[in-house]
Amino acid sequence: MKETILVVEDEERTRKLICAYLNKEDYNVLEAANGFEAINILKKEKVHLVLLDVMMPVLDGWQTLIEVRKFSDVPVIMLTAKADDEDKLLGYSLGVDVYLTKPISPKVVLASVSAMIKRVYQSKNELLLDVVDGLKIDEAAYSVYIDSEEVILSPKEFELLLYLYKNKGIILTREQILDNVWGLEKDVDLRTVDTHIRRIREKLKDKAYLITTIRGVGYKFDCKNER
């Protein structure tokens, strides 16, 4: 059994669907239909991550989070239909770790949970990846090094490189990359993938050969593609 995830959502159908996906991945899943139930569970159980809905009766997600932060620093992924910047800023100021806007694919929720669990609970040593020939990726620090010299990547460039590496040897379509790295972000098209790949290659310099273009399909991280 993996880590314990608490799903706080008043809409039963949505809650059960998310729980089903999490259970399929062997997470230990707890449910709460409102903020009061969530707070009581968090005071009694060891929970590794909370999926918290905003729009709930009696005690909404904001108030629930305020109360939770008085006694716990458990990672929180906020699920909400409110997408404007002010709401997001409020969430981050209250201690939200990730903000997902509804409607949300359960697969995206699952990917976010997995990424957050790895980021928070795996040790830095476990996240240091010795890739090939002096190229290293430090997932915990969002850093890349070539022969001990840091390569400065934007957060999205880093996430793209990491995604390619974790699927090394697998041909990934632009659509797959867009879905897994950019998720539900709006105003992003397939050309964005190509632009970011080009920038990463420029920064990797003589290690750029590690990212192979599969004409008409997408890209592949190929450790065997050495010059």
Side-chain angles (χ1 to χ4, degrees):
M1 189 70 71
K2 294 184 180 180
E3 292 79 6
T4 297
I5 314 297
L6 173 60
V7 181
V8 189
E9 165 68 66
D10 67 308
E11 209 286 308
E12 184 176 9
R13 181 177 178 182
T14 300
R15 187 175 71 249
K16 294 296 184 184
L17 180 61
I18 293 173
C19 289
Y21 271 80
L22 292 169
N23 278 316
K24 192 174 181 180
E25 294 298 317
D26 289 330
Y27 287 108
N28 179 32
V29 183
L30 302 175
E31 299 181 43
N34 58 63
F36 287 116
E37 289 183 12
I39 291 168
N40 288 332
I41 290 172
L42 286 167
K43 288 182 176 180
K44 296 177 182 177
E45 304 285 344
K46 179 176 176 56
V47 175
H48 295 88
L49 185 146
V50 178
L51 289 168
L52 179 62
D53 184 35
V54 171
M55 303 301 290
M56 296 185 294
V58 185
L59 193 67
D60 66 21
W62 303 129
Q63 291 299 319
T64 301
L65 184 57
I66 289 171
E67 293 303 313
V68 168
R69 284 293 178 250
K70 292 178 180 179
F71 64 88
S72 174
D73 59 356
V74 62
V76 173
I77 296 178
M78 189 70 86
L79 311 177
T80 178
K82 306 181 81 174
D84 51 55
D85 289 343
E86 288 187 5
D87 288 308
K88 290 182 179 181
L89 289 172
L90 174 60
Y92 289 130
S93 70
L94 294 176
V96 172
D97 294 279
V98 174
Y99 202 106
L100 298 179
T101 305
K102 294 180 178 180
I104 307 165
S105 161
K107 291 182 179 180
V108 172
V109 174
L110 190 60
S112 298
V113 168
S114 177
M116 180 61 66
I117 291 294
K118 289 178 181 178
R119 187 183 310 165
V120 175
Y121 296 106
Q122 287 188 8
S123 72
K124 191 166 183 176
N125 287 335
E126 289 175 320
L127 295 172
L128 183 62
L129 308 175
D130 192 347
V131 182
V132 62
D133 194 23
L135 176 64
K136 293 184 179 181
I137 301 175
D138 185 342
E139 187 176 355
Y142 259 54
S143 300
V144 174
Y145 299 88
I146 295 178
D147 297 328
S148 299
E149 182 178 345
E150 186 172 5
V151 179
I152 305 301
L153 300 179
S154 71
K156 196 60 68 178
E157 289 167 354
F158 177 86
E159 291 169 9
L160 174 52
L161 177 61
L162 184 64
Y163 177 66
L164 290 170
Y165 170 72
K166 288 189 172 181
N167 292 277
K168 57 183 179 293
I170 300 173
I171 297 173
L172 301 168
T173 67
R174 290 171 174 82
E175 289 82 1
Q176 286 176 304
I177 294 171
L178 204 62
D179 184 51
N180 285 276
V181 178
W182 277 267
L184 296 178
E185 292 183 29
K186 298 179 180 178
D187 302 322
V188 180
D189 59 30
L190 296 179
R191 291 172 297 180
T192 301
V193 175
D194 298 327
T195 299
H196 279 70
I197 291 289
R198 186 182 70 251
R199 291 174 181 168
I200 292 171
R201 281 173 167 161
E202 290 173 353
K203 294 177 180 181
L204 292 182
K205 298 180 181 178
D206 64 341
K207 307 298 181 186
Y209 65 84
L210 291 169
I211 301 176
T212 302
T213 300
I214 309 300
R215 188 177 297 277
V217 181
Y219 298 96
K220 178 174 67 170
F221 191 101
D222 192 353
C223 296
K224 297 179 181 179
N225 189 32
E226 299 189 39
R227 294 178 298 178

